[in-house]
Amino acid sequence: MARILIIDDDPAMVSVISDICQEKGHQTIACNSGQKALEELATHAPQLVITDLKMDKVGGLEILRHCREILPQTPVILITAYAKVESALEAMKLGAYDYITKPFKIDALLLAVERALENHSLVRENRSLRQIVREKYRFENIIGTSPRMQEIYGLIAKIADTDSTVLIQGESGTGKELVARALHFNSHRQHHPFVAINCSALPENLLESELFGHKRGAFTGAVQDKIGLFEEAEHGTIFLDEVNSMAQPLQTKLLRVLQERQIRRVGDTKSSPISVRVLAATNEGLLEKIKDGTFREDLYYRLAVIPLEMPPLRERTDDIPLLVQHFLQKNAAHSASEPRKIEPSAVEALQKHTWPGNVRELENAIERACALCDDHLIRVRDLPPQVLRSAENPTPPPRLADLPSPAASPALTLTSPASPVSPATTATSTHGTEQQTLREFLATQQRTFLEQTLQSHQQDLAAAAEALGLSAAELRRKLGLASPRRTQASKPARPARKNAAAI
Ligand SMILES: Nc1ncnc2c1ncn2[C@@H]1O[C@H](COP(=O)(O)OP(=O)(O)OP(=O)(O)O)[C@@H](O)[C@H]1O
Ligand SMILES: [Mg+2]
């Protein structure tokens, strides 16, 4: 069923076409003047427009032009008298989807309508498929195995497919937007738009009309009706980034939208219902803002139905080696080259830094190091100055201090021959429980990384192995798949120390 706007200055014609369309189960909006139609376009956002070409004052061509501007995906069918076919052809050049000549047969009209609607839904579907493929914001893009991240995954899995409002809190660069996208793309709304807006990027009045749209003439410069982002996100998700920077009058309006689930365009007197999931992010503590009176408490509770706190990177430095490998791979994919390798001492240095810019800063550091390094190997000297300073002057104790020395272990590489850590290996370790824990941790990281790679190759073991620089048999063994000797834990295939380097 589609929403069809039918425009003709002959009311009899409008009613005939409406009847034909309604008979097929479509919802119709009848309109007897071109001028009125311009308003109806913005009000109803129809999925198809059928308009007479020649009307007094505002004709079909103007409607077509207006529709192309505000609803570029909506097809327009023109109706014209036989003698005017040439101008109909002209209109097709301007982007009309089809035209029918008067008098027309019912079947001809229905055929044109169904074709246009089919095309419209294909365009939409294609757009959202492309978006999904392009963005591919699923869990596998969120890297980290630390307990804090495990908690986040658990929470995302639980709440993704609900309609609850989520407030994602965290310092800059901690992955708030990544999580917002994961929530959307793992929800039933995934085939509908994900619309993100940074609330700090626009002055208050512009932000209001951006969010809610406006009526023509609502303010100077509002020369035509405009659809807001809430309406654009219909059936999908809107992500209000940096909601902490929203001015108070707008906070009040947002609160009303969340309470009533209706939006009213600037300058409009009517509200219309919306079905949009709201996700918001803040990089400031909102409770402090409530205390100093700059953020509405009631809005906070509406937004934070489910609060989600992204940990700063310095509180999950255990995730750094895995993130580093992820960014090395990402970098290689962008430059269509082999992933760079990185010395263990460089990873240690990265783990000593406090990362005020969090994962984004780490990503940039790796990109920079990839560009600067010699022989495809990233060394400590290739790291940014602030990281080197932290490494020289470490505050927290080094996390990987107990690992074999860089000289004894090869550069961290996915191709080094290693087998999963066996319980016997760790149990007989002479390095005590601390090292046992580290080994277990590294083995888990290795496993997660291998599984993520396998997943990103659609479980194609051979392809994943190739990407990892392993043989399929090696990968199978590392993953513990169908290996008859896997249970012989007392006899590890390789010396234990190499396991530590093989993440
Ligand atoms: N856990 C993660 N795994 C992989 N990449 C991550 C992770 N967290 C963040 N990133 C990457 O770091 C960069 C910053 O992430 P994102 O934009 O989601 O952060 P943010 O919290 O929204 O930052 P800001 O507050 O500055 O807007 C992105 O390139 C993102 O892909
Ligand atoms: Mg962000």
Side-chain angles (χ1 to χ4, degrees):
M1 194 194 85
R3 211 164 40 248
I4 306 177
L5 176 63
I6 300 161
I7 314 149
D8 199 313
D9 47 9
D10 172 3
M13 182 58 83
V14 171
S15 114
V16 168
I17 300 177
S18 293
D19 287 351
I20 295 172
C21 293
Q22 280 172 13
E23 196 116 312
K24 287 285 164 189
H26 299 303
Q27 180 197 341
T28 57
I29 305 137
C31 188
N32 293 127
S33 93
Q35 229 157 1
K36 183 95 184 29
L38 295 180
E39 287 166 28
E40 303 284 34
L41 268 178
T43 317
H44 298 284
Q47 282 124 2
L48 172 64
V49 174
I50 305 175
T51 176
D52 193 12
L53 183 61
K54 194 161 173 355
M55 289 179 290
D56 280 346
K57 291 189 187 146
V58 177
L61 283 187
E62 196 166 327
I63 291 169
L64 171 64
R65 229 173 275 126
H66 191 64
C67 188
R68 290 270 69 77
E69 261 171 37
I70 67 164
L71 299 167
Q73 313 292 335
T74 298
V76 176
I77 298 176
L78 290 157
I79 310 171
T80 174
Y82 188 63
K84 296 277 183 337
V85 165
E86 267 174 24
S87 42
L89 288 176
E90 195 55 33
M92 300 247 336
K93 280 192 209 146
L94 289 176
Y97 181 76
D98 205 349
Y99 71 93
I100 43 178
T101 48
K102 283 193 263 193
F104 53 82
K105 295 210 169 86
I106 293 180
D107 282 353
L109 174 72
L110 281 177
L111 189 66
V113 166
E114 293 316 318
R115 261 203 322 235
L117 287 175
E118 201 177 315
N119 179 66
H120 177 65
S121 68
L122 280 179
V123 170
R124 280 181 70 108
E125 200 178 314
N126 186 31
R127 208 173 38 157
S128 47
L129 278 178
R130 263 202 331 255
Q131 199 174 0
I132 290 166
V133 172
R134 195 177 59 236
E135 310 211 5
K136 234 176 135 261
Y137 279 100
R138 304 257 167 190
F139 280 64
E140 63 258 36
N141 289 331
I142 310 179
I143 306 295
T145 51
S146 58
R148 298 287 298 273
M149 290 309 289
Q150 307 270 8
E151 269 173 41
I152 304 271
Y153 300 144
L155 195 56
I156 294 178
K158 256 194 222 153
I159 62 175
D161 207 15
T162 69
D163 276 341
S164 302
T165 305
V166 182
L167 179 66
I168 309 168
Q169 310 178 68
E171 293 175 14
S172 178
T174 46
K176 297 186 293 295
E177 180 152 356
L178 209 58
V179 166
R181 288 176 190 270
L183 286 171
H184 172 74
F185 285 105
N186 287 286
S187 79
H188 63 277
R189 295 175 178 269
Q190 61 179 271
H191 297 294
H192 297 282
F194 174 88
V195 175
I197 167 105
N198 186 328
C199 301
S200 73
L202 292 174
E204 184 189 339
N205 52 350
L206 279 188
L207 180 61
E208 180 176 2
S209 92
E210 199 63 28
L211 287 174
F212 308 127
H214 62 241
K215 294 287 289 175
R216 190 171 71 164
F219 49 84
T220 333
V223 285
Q224 59 185 33
D225 289 358
K226 178 180 148 71
I227 287 175
L229 296 180
F230 268 93
E231 277 174 279
E232 225 172 74
E234 180 67 355
H235 301 307
T237 305
I238 191 165
F239 174 50
L240 306 173
D241 202 359
E242 301 198 22
V243 73
N244 47 298
S245 60
M246 197 178 262
Q248 289 220 329
L250 207 47
Q251 289 178 23
T252 311
K253 288 179 185 153
L254 177 61
L255 177 67
R256 207 182 52 226
V257 171
L258 295 176
Q259 276 167 345
E260 295 170 9
R261 297 275 153 196
Q262 298 212 331
I263 58 119
R264 187 187 302 169
R265 293 186 191 169
V266 178
D268 205 347
T269 47
K270 311 188 288 293
S271 301
S272 36
I274 43 153
S275 163
V276 174
R277 186 190 196 174
V278 178
L279 304 176
T282 171
N283 52 19
E284 276 185 290
L286 287 185
L287 292 176
E288 285 91 79
K289 285 185 72 87
I290 293 170
K291 258 191 225 139
D292 69 26
T294 51
F295 202 85
R296 289 187 66 126
E297 188 172 9
D298 41 9
L299 176 59
Y300 170 79
Y301 287 112
R302 276 276 164 187
L303 289 174
V305 174
I306 299 174
L308 197 157
E309 178 84 39
M310 293 305 294
L313 188 55
R314 64 183 169 280
E315 287 176 17
R316 54 180 190 105
T317 50
D318 290 355
D319 282 338
I320 289 180
L322 204 58
L323 280 163
V324 168
Q325 289 301 338
H326 172 70
F327 293 132
L328 288 176
Q329 295 241 327
K330 197 168 159 186
N331 212 275
H334 279 166
S335 55
S337 59
E338 279 291 295
R340 303 279 197 271
K341 301 201 168 87
I342 181 163
E343 275 188 345
S345 51
V347 179
E348 280 181 38
L350 290 170
Q351 286 186 294
K352 286 176 196 159
H353 184 51
T354 48
W355 302 107
N358 293 293
V359 186
R360 183 182 291 111
E361 187 187 354
L362 176 64
E363 184 170 7
N364 293 342
I366 297 299
E367 191 182 328
R368 176 185 185 276
C370 284
L372 291 180
C373 71
D374 297 321
D375 323 319
H376 284 217
L377 178 66
I378 296 173
R379 300 173 175 83
V380 174
R381 64 167 191 242
D382 302 316
L383 302 177
Q386 74 273 19
V387 175
L388 296 180
R389 274 196 299 277
S390 310
E392 278 161 16
N393 198 4
T395 6
R399 291 297 197 129
L400 292 182
D402 289 344
L403 280 180
S405 73
S409 63
L412 286 174
T413 160
L414 295 168
T415 55
S416 85
S419 31
V421 179
S422 71
T425 316
T426 49
T428 55
S429 160
T430 52
H431 293 269
T433 48
E434 167 74 354
Q435 181 148 355
Q436 183 179 340
T437 313
L438 279 170
R439 286 218 172 111
E440 281 171 357
F441 159 64
L442 289 168
T444 316
Q445 278 194 318
Q446 170 176 294
R447 192 176 179 89
T448 308
F449 188 72
L450 296 179
E451 282 172 351
Q452 279 178 341
T453 310
L454 192 58
Q455 206 175 1
S456 64
H457 286 84
Q458 287 77 43
Q459 306 298 327
D460 181 340
L461 201 96
E466 197 187 354
L468 291 162
L470 297 172
S471 70
E474 267 180 299
L475 178 57
R476 199 174 294 116
R477 187 159 44 78
K478 282 176 191 297
L479 286 167
L481 298 171
S483 167
R485 280 184 297 173
R486 195 168 66 87
T487 49
Q488 294 179 358
S490 57
K491 205 175 173 200
R494 305 276 174 199
R497 62 181 357 186
K498 285 208 172 157
N499 292 323
I503 57 170

